[in-house]
Amino acid sequence: MKKISTLAGFCFLIIVTSCNTTRNSQTGDVAQSDKSNISGNYLGSFYKGNYVWGGAMNLAWNELNENILHEKLHLRSNDAKALDMVEKLNKSPFSKNDLDEGSYYVKSGYGQGTVEQINRESREKFPKKSFADLNLKLKPMDIISYAYFLKEVEYKTMFDKKDITFNGQKVKGFAAGNKEQKKNVKIIKYDNDNKFIIKLRLNDNSDELILAKGYDMSGPQAIVDSINSNNRESLPSIGGSDEFAAPKIHLDYHRDYVELVNKFLSNKGFEKYFISDMFENIKFDMDEKGAKVENEAVIAVRLTAIIEKEEPKNFILDKPYWIVMKRAGSGNPYFILGVNNSGLLENSVTQGDISP
């Protein structure tokens, strides 16, 4: 992984169109999510058995509601799961207030001119944007709502590369091997070696990267609540005899929101529109230098004429754990990953091998 001087990206796109819609996914062949997971305020899913949620969908959803529909989006459907998903999106507390202005770009409007404006302005603001320009041909009354989010973070002190064991399997990882590296690891809450919450110190303290082991892995609401109730400005670092180690993470994930596809809107003036496409792509990498998350999502809504000094503490992330990223001072994360198995980890090929 190249040296990281920033933490990553969410790109969310909502399109309302009466013409054919082209997917703009750049991730290639990536596996589908296993299943959706509606939990608390979060509309996440499981990928290879690992919980994944990114917050940028709410930016585009809010933009569509506020500036195009001028009310909350509603479906004409009796599908309980679809209605629950829409309710979560409509009521999510996550918004632009949970981000710094320099990390996102949001735009909505009508027709092909808006598409061209989005492509130009988003790339001007984010030269490192990895997603391709939107390849959409819109008619004058077609609607697009777009949001892009880029964040990268680097640790205050780089950790050492080190193979570790996760759920009994040897994988590549990183660890705190000296005093300066241990200063990177701040203790939010410690019950025992199998239940704790820690925060990794970053170069820019405007963002937070939090790791939590030993909590319910079925959904993130409980751990987010626990972080918000225990996190504070002044936190102790782990001690000289304490240990810290974590696996390297690589996520490349595609999700289709099949639950909402082919559902019609019931908003006044939009009764002939239905959701024709709704999908997202998320990339996340975390290693000894820092972390990077990139997220892209598309929702297309088409118009149709047919209506339907104690003992040393061990902070070893060798069992399922949570990764939570959020803006400092905000109670609403912008990325959550529940690492339940080694599906996202890099196997260690040779014992003790630490390859660059």
Side-chain angles (χ1 to χ4, degrees):
M1 180 176 174
K2 295 180 180 178
K3 183 175 181 181
I4 298 177
S5 58
T6 30
L7 177 238
F10 290 97
C11 177
F12 270 146
L13 165 68
I14 295 183
I15 306 162
V16 184
T17 174
S18 61
C19 66
N20 290 333
T21 311
T22 303
R23 285 191 179 190
N24 191 36
S25 170
Q26 299 300 311
T27 59
D29 276 358
V30 291
Q32 295 285 336
S33 61
D34 300 322
K35 59 181 179 179
S36 63
N37 180 282
I38 303 173
S39 177
N41 294 320
Y42 304 101
L43 199 62
S45 61
F46 282 97
Y47 169 56
K48 294 185 177 180
N50 300 278
Y51 181 93
V52 185
W53 176 85
M57 176 65 81
N58 299 102
L59 298 183
W61 188 272
N62 292 346
E63 175 74 7
L64 178 65
N65 286 348
E66 295 166 7
N67 295 314
I68 301 298
L69 302 178
H70 300 294
E71 62 175 347
K72 303 292 186 183
L73 186 149
H74 297 288
L75 295 180
R76 187 170 70 258
S77 173
N78 294 319
D79 186 319
K81 189 168 187 178
L83 294 174
D84 196 15
M85 293 175 74
V86 169
E87 182 179 15
K88 289 291 188 297
L89 288 166
N90 281 336
K91 292 184 176 181
S92 173
F94 182 81
S95 72
K96 291 184 287 188
N97 294 330
D98 299 301
L99 298 168
D100 57 294
E101 192 279 334
S103 68
Y104 68 87
Y105 169 85
V106 179
K107 176 76 69 175
S108 63
Y110 288 82
Q112 192 63 27
T114 304
V115 175
E116 294 169 2
Q117 184 180 14
I118 287 168
N119 287 335
R120 181 179 67 256
E121 292 181 347
S122 62
R123 196 158 297 283
E124 286 175 355
K125 184 170 183 178
F126 297 97
K128 294 173 65 177
K129 177 183 173 186
S130 69
F131 302 119
D133 287 348
L134 301 179
N135 183 22
L136 298 167
K137 302 299 180 185
L138 301 186
K139 295 180 180 179
M141 293 307 295
D142 295 338
I143 303 165
I144 182 170
S145 179
Y146 176 89
Y148 179 82
F149 169 8
L150 178 65
K151 272 279 183 182
E152 296 177 275
V153 295
E154 188 178 66
Y155 309 131
K156 195 77 172 177
T157 303
M158 187 172 72
F159 291 104
D160 292 333
K161 294 180 181 180
K162 183 179 180 180
D163 292 347
I164 76 165
T165 300
F166 182 85
N167 273 354
Q169 181 177 343
K170 193 170 185 180
V171 299
K172 292 188 176 182
F174 54 97
N178 58 49
K179 184 176 180 181
E180 285 305 307
Q181 291 171 343
K182 290 184 179 183
K183 286 181 180 179
N184 270 359
V185 186
K186 299 292 186 178
I187 304 171
I188 293 177
K189 190 173 188 292
Y190 176 83
D191 293 340
N192 53 59
D193 286 359
N194 287 309
K195 188 173 184 181
F196 58 81
I197 306 174
I198 53 178
K199 176 164 61 177
L200 302 187
R201 195 169 55 141
L202 305 176
N203 267 339
D204 184 348
N205 59 12
S206 297
D207 291 285
E208 297 181 331
L209 199 163
I210 298 167
L211 310 174
K213 174 183 170 184
Y215 290 81
D216 178 19
M217 299 301 295
S218 63
Q221 190 63 58
I223 186 56
V224 172
D225 292 342
S226 186
I227 289 169
N228 288 336
S229 62
N230 289 282
N231 199 8
R232 57 191 186 279
E233 207 167 302
S234 180
L235 295 169
S237 300
I238 64 174
S241 60
D242 297 335
E243 298 292 335
F244 164 76
K248 288 178 63 175
I249 298 286
H250 174 69
L251 167 71
D252 191 347
Y253 149 86
H254 175 85
R255 176 187 181 184
D256 284 300
Y257 286 73
V258 295
E259 303 89 346
L260 297 180
V261 171
N262 295 325
K263 299 292 192 299
F264 280 81
L265 277 62
S266 64
N267 300 75
K268 186 175 181 180
F270 297 90
E271 297 90 343
K272 294 185 178 182
Y273 286 90
F274 71 97
I275 298 173
S276 61
D277 298 271
M278 185 169 180
F279 64 90
E280 68 176 342
N281 299 299
I282 299 179
K283 292 180 181 180
F284 176 76
D285 288 280
M286 180 176 172
D287 65 6
E288 69 279 359
K289 299 174 185 176
K292 178 178 181 178
V293 55
E294 188 167 13
N295 184 200
E296 177 184 60
V298 175
I299 301 175
V301 185
R302 297 182 61 193
L303 176 65
T304 179
I306 304 173
I307 307 299
E308 289 269 354
K309 196 141 185 179
E310 7 179 72
E311 287 297 317
K313 306 176 188 69
N314 295 304
F315 299 90
I316 310 299
L317 296 161
D318 57 352
K319 294 180 181 178
Y321 67 101
W322 290 102
I323 299 173
V324 178
M325 302 191 70
K326 68 183 193 68
R327 190 74 175 158
S330 170
N332 300 314
Y334 51 71
F335 177 76
I336 299 171
L337 178 63
V339 183
N340 290 311
N341 54 49
S342 60
L344 307 179
L345 312 184
E346 187 175 347
N347 291 342
S348 178
V349 179
T350 305
Q351 174 120 11
D353 175 47
I354 303 179
S355 54

